[in-house]
Amino acid sequence: MAKKSKIAANERRKAVVARYADRRARLKEIIRTGTPGEQAEAVRALARQPRDASATRVRNRDSVDGRPRGHLTRFGLSRVRFREMAHRGELPGVTKASW
């Protein structure tokens, strides 16, 4: 189980990313297609935004216990939790391989 403070900080980051998503997208589009003057202004505006407004600052965590490593995106679980749930038959369509 991850520390509650780490999980809470990650949730705050998700909220900040969602709040600034539209503004960041507009600025990125200006940087990609605008005139050099507009691009420079957009870069400065992007740099003034909070650091946590970038989506890369959000950490993928296990949805059950918040474990940060070994995250399986398709299931939203860590490898450890995935294995436990698969063995108990709690994941539909997941079977143990045997050959």
Side-chain angles (χ1 to χ4, degrees), residues 13 27 31 35 43-44 49 57 63-64 70 76 86-87 91 97:
R13 280 191 199 103
L27 291 172
I31 291 169
T35 63
V43 167
R44 283 191 291 276
Q49 289 189 345
R57 301 272 295 184
S63 59
V64 177
H87 281 306
L91 299 174

Side-chain angles (χ1 to χ4, degrees), residues 10 14 57-62 66-71 73:
N10 202 47
K14 285 180 185 177
R57 301 272 295 184
V58 176
R59 178 85 170 159
N60 287 329
R61 290 186 173 270
D62 186 324
R67 188 177 201 279
R69 304 283 181 104
H71 183 264
T73 305

Side-chain angles (χ1 to χ4, degrees), residues 28-93:
K28 294 266 191 175
E29 182 63 26
I30 291 170
I31 291 169
R32 196 171 63 78
T33 62
T35 63
E38 291 173 337
Q39 287 175 339
E41 181 57 36
V43 167
R44 283 191 291 276
L46 197 61
R48 282 192 303 268
Q49 289 189 345
R51 199 175 257 189
D52 283 343
S54 174
T56 58
R57 301 272 295 184
V58 176
R59 178 85 170 159
N60 287 329
R61 290 186 173 270
D62 186 324
S63 59
V64 177
D65 65 1
R67 188 177 201 279
R69 304 283 181 104
H71 183 264
L72 302 174
T73 305
R74 185 172 178 182
F75 297 95
L77 301 169
S78 69
R79 61 181 178 79
V80 177
R81 181 75 49 192
F82 174 81
R83 186 169 187 269
E84 289 173 0
M85 291 177 77
H87 281 306
R88 285 185 295 213
E90 296 176 1
L91 299 174

